[in-house]
Amino acid sequence: MGWSVVAVGCALVLAWLGGRWWERARVRRGAGADGDQGARPSWAWFPLLVGLEMIGADLPRLLYASHAVVMVVDTLNLVMAVTTLVLVLRAGRRFFRGRGLRTLE
């Protein structure tokens, strides 16, 4: 079970890298010339952060790492989890900012 979590984390990181490569190829061909080529939306970082969290959650235990290494990786996982939460909240706020509550009248 542990290696499958690590494999899914690696797949998410590779999917993020593939998306990044695809985005750069589109900009090079001129398809993405819409003004803000350097800006990435905050939701674009989710696969990378979640993949790294999944890898860091099980890999030290599976490799029989020392207690100090496990504590450092757990601390980094906590920082990435808080970062992911902040990015989710920012993306949600940006998504719902222009949409008011509409009643059915």
Side-chain angles (χ1 to χ4, degrees):
M1 180 68 179
W3 285 109
S4 64
V5 173
V6 173
V8 170
C10 290
L12 283 170
V13 170
L14 289 175
W16 181 82
L17 287 172
R20 182 81 172 147
W21 174 80
W22 180 262
E23 186 177 285
R24 284 183 167 212
R26 277 188 37 213
V27 168
R28 260 189 250 126
R29 284 184 289 192
D34 57 353
D36 59 345
Q37 294 173 2
R40 292 189 57 133
S42 58
W43 55 263
W45 294 97
F46 294 156
L48 176 67
L49 291 172
V50 172
L52 289 175
E53 289 170 12
M54 290 176 76
I55 292 169
D58 279 348
L59 195 60
R61 179 181 56 83
L62 293 171
L63 296 178
Y64 302 108
S66 66
H67 181 69
V69 171
V70 171
M71 292 303 293
V72 168
V73 171
D74 283 346
T75 303
L76 290 174
N77 267 347
L78 178 65
V79 169
M80 283 191 292
V82 170
T83 303
T84 304
L85 178 65
V86 168
L87 289 176
V88 165
L89 292 174
R90 286 181 64 198
R93 190 187 72 172
R94 193 171 294 133
F95 180 76
F96 289 112
R97 186 183 323 163
R99 295 168 172 75
L101 292 176
R102 296 184 181 127
T103 59
L104 297 173
E105 294 179 10

